Amino acid sequence: MNKNKYHCCATCINFKPEKTDQGMRYHCVRLGYETKPDYQFNCWEPKPHVVELMNKEK
């Protein structure tokens, strides 16, 4: 199985960071709950610039 080095929440189109008075808050719009930038889920959909990077490496 090939491991994708780009596969993490921070590179997903559904990842929404938000700066609050208490610090950064990371939220997955698709899953509907807080996450962390380095978490990985099977519903990952890469941002356009990440798709370009992955295509360059092929």
Side-chain angles (χ1 to χ4, degrees), residues 9-45:
C9 286
T11 61
C12 181
I13 63 170
N14 297 301
F15 181 76
K16 303 298 178 201
E18 178 184 351
K19 190 170 187 175
T20 67
D21 292 337
Q22 291 78 31
M24 290 299 291
R25 179 178 175 263
Y26 305 106
H27 185 79
C28 176
V29 174
R30 177 181 283 168
L31 298 175
Y33 54 82
E34 285 193 49
T35 185
K36 295 205 184 258
D38 59 337
Y39 283 3
Q40 293 183 355
F41 297 100
N42 291 332
C43 62
W44 179 70
E45 190 173 339

